[in-house]
Amino acid sequence: QGKLRVLTSTDGRTWKSVALISSPEGDLRDPKLEVTPDGRLMLLGFITLYHPKTFKHKSLVWFSNDGKTWTEAADVADRPLWIWRVTRHGDGLYTMGYDCHERAVFRLYQSETGIPFKPISGDLGIRPGESALGFTEDGTCHALLRVKTARLGTAKPPYTDWTWRDTGIRIGGPEIIQLPDGRFVAAGRSYARDGKPGLSGWATVLYWVDYQQGTLTEFLRLPSAGDTSYPGMVYHDGLLWISYYSSHEEAVTDDYGKSNIYLARVKLPDTGE
């Protein structure tokens, strides 16, 4: 019976709840924020329906001018879509996902306002998974996908011809961001089993991304272990701000303890080393 809670802060240290969103139709989870081209906040969430008919899941969006008062939930398309994370580029919003009626088909979608999202590519030919997108100044789209081992993808407009590289690294809940100097940073759950005794060894990790070589290079592990992941990132005042959750302060002998929400602020080196 998941709900979505919106928190706000003026300094990144003291936080307060300003909205709590629920649905009588099902379990809400995986919330993410983006700013639409017309300046509104858009909240993206995923619902598992209590009483499914022809499909069990779909993505929903809400809109707000102040983060406190939100519109009613709206479907992201005229068909039940699963989309993971929305990225703004120019006058459009972009995401990857699949139609819940034909799950094996994974596409790139675009919207001008947040509803509806329409496919702008054919099947990308990759097993559907969580995804994150980033755009360079020349309009090139870069993707990071969670599949068995993470894939890095690149395409130029109109984003119908993609080049994919297998990183060989398993990653969960991926997110990417481009820094002002052009470098890309990725974040997500690492599955390497070198954590505290009794825990799974999972951690939320930052990586340098090299799209030409198709590599993810770990450079920082945030305080995390056990059940941890789903980072969100923004670059603000010269620091990389990362929100994520982790159970490292609660779990003792098993893999999954009570999870808490954390905010990290990271000062990055001048070079990607």
Side-chain angles (χ1 to χ4, degrees), residues 115-222:
I115 47 174
F117 278 88
K118 297 181 179 180
I120 60 172
S121 77
D123 182 13
L124 297 176
I126 292 179
R127 180 181 178 272
E130 300 162 354
S131 61
L133 301 176
F135 292 83
T136 53
E137 288 186 0
D138 65 357
T140 300
C141 182
H142 296 287
L144 172 60
L145 301 187
R146 175 186 180 176
V147 284
K148 186 174 182 180
T149 51
R151 301 285 183 89
L152 293 173
T154 299
K156 294 185 178 297
Y159 312 121
T160 55
D161 184 16
W162 286 81
T163 300
W164 296 99
R165 294 177 174 84
D166 190 337
T167 67
I169 295 175
R170 189 181 175 198
I171 186 173
E175 166 70 312
I176 59 173
I177 189 172
Q178 187 179 31
L179 303 177
D181 62 12
R183 292 177 295 168
F184 276 96
V185 174
R189 176 194 294 141
S190 167
Y191 292 85
R193 296 185 175 273
D194 57 358
K196 292 162 48 178
L199 297 178
S200 67
W202 293 358
T204 294
V205 173
L206 300 183
Y207 304 86
W208 294 117
V209 186
D210 187 327
Y211 278 96
Q212 292 185 341
Q213 300 297 321
T215 58
L216 295 172
T217 303
E218 179 182 328
F219 70 90
L220 181 64
R221 292 200 162 205
L222 300 176

Side-chain angles (χ1 to χ4, degrees), residues 30 32 42 44-46 58-61 76 80-86 94-98 100 106-107 109 114 117 129-131:
D30 296 342
K32 302 166 192 72
M42 183 180 76
L44 170 69
F46 185 71
K58 62 180 179 179
S59 294
L60 300 171
V61 287
V76 297
L81 292 186
W82 183 95
I83 58 178
W84 176 247
R85 189 184 299 277
V86 171
Y94 295 81
T95 185
M96 286 179 172
Y98 60 82
C100 293
F106 195 56
R107 300 184 179 97
Y109 291 84
F117 278 88
E130 300 162 354
S131 61

Side-chain angles (χ1 to χ4, degrees), residues 6 18-19 21 33-36 38-44 61-72 113:
V6 180
V18 293
I21 298 172
L33 291 167
E34 184 54 277
V35 179
T36 63
D38 63 3
R40 295 177 299 164
L41 280 172
M42 183 180 76
L43 176 64
L44 170 69
V61 287
W62 298 258
F63 300 93
S64 175
N65 290 316
D66 60 7
K68 300 176 182 179
T69 303
W70 294 84
T71 63
E72 294 296 320
T113 62

